[in-house]
Amino acid sequence: MRFDGKVVAYLNRCVHVPTEMDWQPGEFLDSAREFILCSIHGAAYDPGSGRCVAGPCGRGKLTMLHVEERDGEVYWYPSRDTRPVSP
Ligand code: FES
C-alpha cells in the first residue's frame, strides 16, 4: 500500500491470529485511512511501521516486506521468511 506517499508492504497476516486481515479484498485501512485494521477482531496497526497500536495484537508487529519503488515500478525482495509460492 501507499502511505504518506511511500510504498510499504506487510505480510497479510494478523499478529493476533494468523489470518488474512482485509475486510474487502485489498482493503486494509480504516475509514480515516490512519490505521491498518484487522477485519476479524479489530486490531489496529500503524501503517508506517506495522506496530500494533490497539486491540488484541498486543506488542506485536506485522511482518514487513522489503519493497522498493523505482521508475514507477514496485519491487518486492523475498527474504528468508517471505518467498513466492512455488508453482
Ligand atoms: S485475528 Fe486480527 S485481531 Fe484477531
Side-chain angles (χ1 to χ4, degrees), residues 20-85:
E20 294 183 354
M21 302 183 295
D22 33 343
W23 44 274
Q24 291 287 322
E27 295 292 332
F28 297 93
L29 296 176
D30 66 334
S31 58
R33 306 191 70 75
E34 287 183 72
F35 301 106
I36 296 170
L37 275 189
C38 177
S39 64
I40 308 299
H41 306 112
Y45 298 91
D46 171 36
S49 67
R51 288 194 186 284
C52 175
V53 293
C57 44
R59 302 175 76 130
K61 186 177 178 185
L62 297 175
T63 300
M64 186 175 271
L65 303 178
H66 180 199
V67 292
E68 192 175 288
E69 186 171 26
R70 225 178 318 125
D71 301 324
E73 303 282 335
V74 176
Y75 297 89
W76 165 49
Y77 297 94
S79 70
R80 182 181 60 107
D81 299 324
T82 56
R83 292 184 290 260
V85 175

